[in-house]
């Protein structure tokens, strides 16, 4: 375009959820409670793993990283959403939008990498149990976890820098941030890992053995489904339906970080037992 037809963009308008003005305060209170539960629930998971030496294993170290990611990705999105509900403030500066876009993609990409790493950990534990302890050492575990953060940082740096080097000339209304290709790639790797896991479980002779093997994957498989269903909904349906997009975006950025600690608490017997010990109660043996 010719320079005289361009209009520089100094701010953006975050559309967010469509709601009647009278619902602003109730929505603010509801999302404030959800945010508080998200931070406290994931913080409790991290505290439990750090305190209980029985959980000092790769699976639970990765869970600590996941809980920290859930807290930070919620903190990157929810405060601005709360301000929109209470103050009807939907404007974000150009610099603020850069920071929020970078944070969202950085944390979201890191979480995708981490889910893939956790699937690989379960693959090693079930398909190569005799070699698991020698492969997944503490140093390897830390190196792989660091790699997920580094990968998320580099991916977000490239994507954000490329986006904001483009000229912006309106409209300056932003609906939601999503990134599909990376999520799809990680999802295919997770499916591959679980293909091998299922095949290995089916080769186990005893019913109890198959049940115990699957129980070690149940929580991770559940959170992967919860995480990827919104992405699938966004990218596989035709057209755009803004109200539905809003609900999906809220589920992806607000509800999923709340559900993860609940899922790991309900679906993981070792985590439940550790929480009982943390509360000072007698350890309950799983049936």
């Amino acid at each position: 375009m010719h320079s005289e037809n361009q209009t520089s963009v100094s701010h953006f308008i975050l559309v967010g959820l469509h709601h009647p003005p009278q619902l602003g305060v109730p929505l603010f209170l509801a999302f404030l409670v959800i945010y508080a539960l998200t931070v406290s629930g994931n913080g409790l998971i991290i505290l439990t793993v750090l305190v209980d030496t029985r959980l000092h294993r790769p699976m639970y170290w990765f869970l600590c990283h996941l809980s920290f990611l859930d807290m930070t990705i919620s903190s990157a999105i929810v405060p601005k959403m709360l301000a929109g509900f209470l103050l009807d403030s939907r404007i974000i500066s150009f610099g603020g939008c850069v920071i929020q876009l970078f944070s969202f993609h950085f944390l979201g990409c890191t979480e995708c990498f981490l889910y893939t790493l956790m699937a690989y950990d379960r693959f090693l534990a079930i398909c190569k149990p005799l070699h698991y302890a020698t492969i997944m050492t503490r140093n390897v575990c830390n190196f792989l976890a660091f790699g997920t953060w580094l990968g998320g940082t580099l991916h977000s740096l490239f994507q954000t820098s490329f986006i904001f080097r483009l000229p912006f000339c309106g409209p300056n209304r932003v609906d939601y941030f999503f990134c599909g290709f990376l999520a799809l790639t990680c999802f295919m790797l997770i499916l591959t890992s679980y293909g091998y896991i299922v095949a290995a479980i089916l080769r186990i002779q005893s019913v109890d053995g198959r049940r115990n093997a699957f129980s070690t994957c149940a929580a991770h498989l559940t959170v992967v489904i919860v995480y990827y269903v919104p992405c699938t909904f966004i990218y596989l349906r035709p057209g755009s339906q803004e109200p539905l997009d809003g609900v999906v975006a809220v589920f992806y950025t607000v509800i999923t970080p709340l559900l993860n600690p609940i899922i790991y608490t309900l679906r993981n017997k070792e985590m439940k037992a550790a929480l009982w010990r943390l509360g000072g109660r007698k350890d309950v043996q799983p049936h």
Side-chain angles (χ1 to χ4, degrees), residues 110-128:
T110 303
E111 193 157 2
C112 284
F113 290 141
L114 186 61
Y115 281 129
T116 308
L117 177 57
M118 294 172 78
Y120 177 67
D121 173 71
R122 293 299 85 205
F123 161 77
L124 289 178
I126 293 176
C127 299
K128 300 181 181 296

Side-chain angles (χ1 to χ4, degrees), residues 206-223:
S206 67
V207 176
D208 289 338
R210 288 196 295 268
R211 184 183 298 112
N212 291 335
F214 181 75
S215 67
T216 65
C217 306
H220 176 257
L221 186 58
T222 304
V223 297

Side-chain angles (χ1 to χ4, degrees), residues 52-72:
D52 198 317
T53 56
R54 305 184 201 185
L55 300 182
H56 288 183
R57 304 200 303 274
M59 173 182 174
Y60 295 104
W61 289 125
F62 296 147
L63 178 59
C64 281
H65 285 271
L66 177 62
S67 294
F68 183 75
L69 276 169
D70 283 334
M71 288 193 297
T72 50

Side-chain angles (χ1 to χ4, degrees), residues 225-242:
I225 293 172
V226 169
Y227 182 81
Y228 278 99
V229 163
C231 295
T232 304
F233 179 84
I234 284 290
Y235 286 103
L236 295 187
R237 64 183 180 80
S240 177
Q241 304 170 32
E242 287 191 3

Side-chain angles (χ1 to χ4, degrees), residues 174-230:
V174 180
D175 291 319
Y176 312 101
F177 299 135
F178 285 99
C179 179
F181 177 75
L182 178 66
L184 178 61
T185 303
C186 291
F187 185 59
M188 295 306 297
L189 291 174
I190 292 172
L191 286 181
T192 302
S193 295
Y194 271 102
Y196 284 104
I197 289 171
V198 170
I201 291 176
L202 293 177
R203 287 195 297 267
I204 299 175
Q205 299 298 322
S206 67
V207 176
D208 289 338
R210 288 196 295 268
R211 184 183 298 112
N212 291 335
F214 181 75
S215 67
T216 65
C217 306
H220 176 257
L221 186 58
T222 304
V223 297
V224 165
I225 293 172
V226 169
Y227 182 81
Y228 278 99
V229 163

